[in-house]
Amino acid sequence: MTDDPIAAAAPGEEMTARNAKNGMPPLAPATAMEHGAGPFRRLILRGATVIDGTGAPPWGPADIVIENDRIAAIVPVGVPGKPISPSRRPPADGAEEIDCHGRFVTPGLIDCHAHIGVPYHGLHGGASPASYVYKLWLAHGVTTIREMGCFNGLGWVLQQKQASAANAITAPRILAHPYFPGVNDMLKTIHTPDQARAWLAGVRERGADGVKFFGAPPALMQAALAEAKALGLRTGCHHAQQAVTRMNALTTARWGMTSAEHYYGLPEALYERRIVGDYAPEYNYNDEYYRFSTAGRTFPQAAEPGSAKWNEVMEQFLELDFTFVPTYTIYDANRDVMRYRRADWHDTYTWPSMWRFFQPARGGHGSYWFRWSTTNEIEWKQHYQLWMQFLNEYKNRGGRVCTGSDSGFIYQTFGFGYVRELELLQEAGFNPLEVLRSATIQGAALCGLEDETGSIEVGKAADLLVLDENPLNDFKLLYGTGAMRLNDESGQVEWRQALRHTIRAGVVFDVAALLADIRDSVAAQKAREAEPA
């Protein structure tokens, strides 16, 4: 026996034990189904224009029949501009119905890099409950999340996963990828390949869907990836600067890694005039300013677009059927921090302790604004141009690029940050249908759920969004705040928001009610904090 809670922790609980020891307990889990109706014996979405997630263009009108939690039929019922004959429609047969005439239905969205809250926020006052995070996701159309790190603990995440699947809580579908404790600067408890294999067997036995890596010594990493593949565990890696010189994203892709998270490890795979990136002599990884300012200089050091090295690396990733989850959104403030400090949603939707966590502070992860400069922003803009060019070309040549948000850091609020990722993929060169494809069927394929969700097809789970306007026209209409527009008839400014219902496995959530609940909970927390001690 040991008195060290980290050493005594079950596989997948190491980071949680360390956080709790340092005053950062897990978030309060969700415990109730506060919103949602269904699943119904029979539910029909009447007269929808369908955008199915595969990349196919919109078509309709169609009636979509849902029985319990599955799509049972998709019935064409007419053509635009002509009345629909009742004889063409599926019979009601006692069904609940949602009027979708003039509306659009898409698959539910998949956040492939998500965190159910951030325990670090607890150092800045009361951390949000998990229910706040779940409601924000559902209110922005996210019906599935890939939890990358399980920093509340693998057991905690698995309990929430089960509760969501049983419709016992208001939450998306959850996939659990605990942190592999293999790097010194975060937490390292695994030192040998045998320990790595035993740990992976342990998290698999507990019910993990995959594993989140930040790196490890090469022999350890290679053994871990081989064992993960043998066990059927999917893998994603944030190739941290402390480990990337020994294994970049192409190295780990060859060893069997499923996906690269963010961009780390990709420019290093493209280096041709250096092995190690150009670090200033005063660089210290634990100084967040140096960590993130230097990280924005990596792509300009890499091979030029279209060069032999650029093409060679891209072709190798394509041959390996590798996936990128860029999370452009989480570093977007680096290009214009003032924009994100004043984002429309912070006042009413951002939890108070999360807002305080975002502020400049030495030692706070992602809170490096104490000396952020015009030069830093320009360097990050140049970095983005090359990063976006590589992944747009990768997509054009058949590679998989998925959407993830990593919200909870760097001025990104849950849900809102995910919608921003859609905008950024469009900025990268994806057309709107390609963006939606990345957010749905491509994400499902990465997660191994392509037979379950990600597109509108008979037999799949009823993970669907009902929208008042076509999201392909403007992704800003998906923000919970809506998008500011001028009503020419009234001469007044109004905020138009397209998402009406989020349907997760046949359970129908009213988006307006979710958003009102979130606003009320944030206001109530602010009022509690304002009360005299």
Side-chain angles (χ1 to χ4, degrees), residues 264 288-296 331 365 368 372 380 410:
Y264 308 104
E288 292 276 305
Y289 170 76
Y290 280 110
R291 174 178 172 179
F292 283 95
S293 62
T294 302
Y331 306 109
H365 182 46
Y368 40 82
W372 207 248
W380 270 92
I410 314 180

Side-chain angles (χ1 to χ4, degrees), residues 23-158:
M24 296 177 286
L27 273 64
T31 58
M33 190 69 169
E34 302 173 73
H35 292 267
F40 301 97
R41 182 189 67 82
R42 187 172 169 87
L43 170 68
I44 304 178
L45 310 184
R46 294 286 193 188
T49 298
V50 177
I51 311 174
D52 69 12
T54 67
W59 69 278
D63 287 359
I64 302 172
V65 180
I66 299 165
E67 294 179 354
N68 297 311
D69 60 348
R70 298 275 147 186
I71 299 171
I74 305 167
V75 182
V77 295
V79 296
K82 293 188 68 175
I84 297 172
S85 170
S87 65
R88 303 185 65 170
R89 317 199 82 155
D93 192 24
E96 299 285 334
E97 296 191 8
I98 296 177
D99 182 2
C100 294
H101 296 87
R103 293 179 176 152
F104 296 79
V105 174
T106 75
L109 308 176
I110 299 173
D111 191 334
C112 292
H113 192 114
H115 302 292
I116 306 173
V118 179
Y120 303 157
H121 296 171
L123 296 176
H124 299 267
S128 68
S131 58
Y132 160 81
V133 182
Y134 297 146
K135 291 170 191 173
L136 277 167
W137 279 326
L138 290 168
H140 288 89
V142 175
T143 55
T144 298
I145 66 106
R146 180 176 172 239
E147 219 301 350
M148 294 300 284
C150 296
F151 297 137
N152 291 302
L154 176 58
W156 186 101
V157 173
L158 292 173

Side-chain angles (χ1 to χ4, degrees), residues 469 477 481-497:
E469 301 188 53
L477 297 174
T481 52
M484 185 172 67
R485 297 290 183 267
L486 178 66
N487 185 319
D488 285 322
E489 292 185 5
S490 67
Q492 301 298 310
V493 168
E494 58 188 25
W495 291 81
R496 282 171 37 200
Q497 203 267 349

